[in-house]
Amino acid sequence: MAHNGREVNAMGHVRYGWLLPLLGLLASLSGCGFREMLDDYPVSGVQITLDWTGVTKELPETMRVIFYPKDAEGRKVESYLSATGGEVKVPPGNYAVVIYNFNTETVQIRGEENYETIEAFTGHCAGLSTTEDMVWSPDPLYVVALDDVEIEKSDVALQMELKPEAAVTNYSFDIKIEGLERVSEVICNVDGLCGCYFLGKQTCGLCEAPIRVDTKYEGDVLWGYFSHFVLRQQAQTRANAPMMLILKLVKRDNTVQEIKVDVTELITSSLPTEDGLGTDSEVHIEVPVPDGEIVVGELEPGINEGGGGIGGDVGDWDDETNIELPV
């Protein structure tokens, strides 16, 4: 039995002696195949550095980068970076590249399947206590768009130093209003502005609804704030779509006093020049109202002049008084 036992033990050593070299050979072959696979699908490191000098002091939290292949066999690569940049692994090839700040409150992105269709826009103002059809002002949007980038095969990270441009311009204005105590609600918007922005093509589209203006009151002064997408290459006036600021003062007698002002020249003259980068600075415009103020008309008989004011209920708008103000 002992002899048989030693014999079995010896046979076991023989079997394992053959098995170990076999495993080593398979591992060697597998390693060669894996290295060949990596050679077939190589990637290069791309170190992206973003320069915010003169653009904004309040950096966004996250940037999204998309490499769109220009070759039929290429594949789309996307990643997320900090505001200052980061490294992305990209297969060698020719690409169009878009970089923009991510996670904004009102700006939405659609058509991101390719470079020509990726588009920023804002949604309608659902939930507001008004029947007015308006869209939100866009948040600050910063964009880098590169039409032709060649990524070479490299063991060392390729360096890309880029400068974002602000694709949104911000505006403010103030108007003195006499008789503000006779007003229960103010509804304000601007029509004729850009409502979408194609990040890759760098073109804007006319807004499908007026852009809502945020308002606040300080004594007898109404302050307004709004923004819109803009291109430094397109600082021209749209002859068929003037930019109109529309102000509706809903009075406590349920009538509406409407004021319309053509602000086309004010907007277009403040757009960035063709050779200048867009920034997120705020532009203050002087809305041209006669005598520098708006006078709220008297209330219908029977309405108490002393009570109410801003914050009352809004009724029918059938009885409207339209006032066209010259520029």
Side-chain angles (χ1 to χ4, degrees), residues 224-299:
Y225 305 89
F226 66 96
S227 60
H228 72 126
F229 298 107
V230 68
L231 289 174
R232 58 189 176 91
Q233 298 94 337
Q234 296 184 344
Q236 73 273 7
T237 301
R238 300 185 192 89
N240 296 326
M243 302 174 187
M244 301 293 296
L245 186 147
I246 303 170
L247 180 65
K248 291 186 177 182
L249 305 176
V250 183
K251 297 191 290 185
R252 293 191 296 106
D253 60 4
N254 294 332
T255 61
V256 177
Q257 184 171 329
E258 182 178 274
I259 301 95
K260 293 183 177 181
V261 184
D262 189 331
V263 293
T264 304
E265 185 176 350
L266 295 175
I267 298 297
T268 55
S269 63
S270 65
L271 295 179
T273 59
E274 186 172 351
D275 58 352
L277 293 173
T279 69
D280 65 354
S281 59
E282 184 179 282
V283 178
H284 188 81
I285 60 175
E286 298 292 339
V287 179
V289 294
D291 302 322
E293 68 175 357
I294 294 173
V295 178
V296 179
E298 297 295 328
L299 300 178

Side-chain angles (χ1 to χ4, degrees), residues 39-94:
D39 290 338
D40 290 339
Y41 299 93
V43 293
S44 296
V46 180
Q47 179 62 46
I48 297 174
T49 302
L50 299 176
D51 177 13
W52 296 92
T53 305
V55 179
T56 183
K57 294 181 180 179
E58 297 183 11
L59 301 186
E61 292 184 4
T62 308
M63 303 293 290
R64 186 185 186 197
V65 55
I66 306 176
F67 285 79
Y68 291 100
K70 304 187 78 171
D71 304 323
E73 65 275 11
R75 64 183 180 88
K76 176 182 170 185
V77 176
E78 59 180 290
S79 185
Y80 297 90
L81 311 171
S82 70
T84 56
E87 185 172 335
V88 184
K89 300 295 186 181
V90 183
N94 291 325

Side-chain angles (χ1 to χ4, degrees), residues 12-275:
H13 279 295
V14 171
R15 287 197 298 269
Y16 285 117
W18 280 99
L19 182 59
L20 292 176
L22 179 60
L23 290 175
L25 177 61
L26 291 175
S28 176
L29 293 174
S30 176
C32 291
F34 183 67
R35 285 193 298 271
E36 289 173 0
M37 183 179 69
L38 289 181
D39 290 338
D40 290 339
Y41 299 93
V43 293
S44 296
V46 180
Q47 179 62 46
I48 297 174
T49 302
L50 299 176
D51 177 13
W52 296 92
T53 305
V55 179
T56 183
K57 294 181 180 179
E58 297 183 11
L59 301 186
E61 292 184 4
T62 308
M63 303 293 290
R64 186 185 186 197
V65 55
I66 306 176
F67 285 79
Y68 291 100
K70 304 187 78 171
D71 304 323
E73 65 275 11
R75 64 183 180 88
K76 176 182 170 185
V77 176
E78 59 180 290
S79 185
Y80 297 90
L81 311 171
S82 70
T84 56
E87 185 172 335
V88 184
K89 300 295 186 181
V90 183
N94 291 325
Y95 295 87
V97 181
V98 164
I99 304 175
Y100 65 93
N101 55 306
F102 192 67
N103 280 345
T104 53
E105 290 187 18
T106 61
V107 173
Q108 304 176 50
I109 300 294
R110 61 190 172 196
E112 60 184 84
E113 294 80 14
N114 61 68
Y115 183 76
E116 287 73 24
T117 60
I118 183 169
E119 174 190 5
F121 70 103
T122 62
H124 289 255
C125 300
L128 294 178
S129 60
T130 173
T131 58
E132 292 290 304
D133 184 18
M134 297 181 286
V135 296
W136 296 106
S137 284
D139 301 318
L141 179 66
Y142 307 102
V143 180
V144 174
L146 304 171
D147 182 65
D148 191 7
V149 175
E150 183 177 354
I151 304 299
E152 299 177 347
K153 183 177 179 180
S154 175
D155 295 330
V156 179
L158 305 174
Q159 302 295 317
M160 293 181 65
E161 297 183 2
L162 307 171
K163 194 177 189 68
E165 294 185 22
V168 169
T169 298
N170 307 290
Y171 295 91
S172 66
F173 63 85
D174 62 282
I175 301 175
K176 184 177 180 181
I177 299 182
E178 181 182 330
L180 198 55
E181 69 278 359
R182 294 192 283 273
V183 176
S184 62
E185 186 177 4
V186 173
I187 300 171
C188 188
N189 57 55
V190 183
D191 198 10
L193 299 178
C194 291
C196 64
Y197 180 95
F198 290 92
L199 281 66
K201 295 190 299 183
Q202 298 186 36
T203 58
C204 282
L206 189 63
C207 204
E208 61 186 34
I211 290 179
R212 179 178 183 264
V213 176
D214 291 323
T215 58
K216 69 175 184 179
Y217 322 96
E218 294 181 354
D220 59 354
V221 177
L222 171 72
W223 285 84
Y225 305 89
F226 66 96
S227 60
H228 72 126
F229 298 107
V230 68
L231 289 174
R232 58 189 176 91
Q233 298 94 337
Q234 296 184 344
Q236 73 273 7
T237 301
R238 300 185 192 89
N240 296 326
M243 302 174 187
M244 301 293 296
L245 186 147
I246 303 170
L247 180 65
K248 291 186 177 182
L249 305 176
V250 183
K251 297 191 290 185
R252 293 191 296 106
D253 60 4
N254 294 332
T255 61
V256 177
Q257 184 171 329
E258 182 178 274
I259 301 95
K260 293 183 177 181
V261 184
D262 189 331
V263 293
T264 304
E265 185 176 350
L266 295 175
I267 298 297
T268 55
S269 63
S270 65
L271 295 179
T273 59
E274 186 172 351
D275 58 352

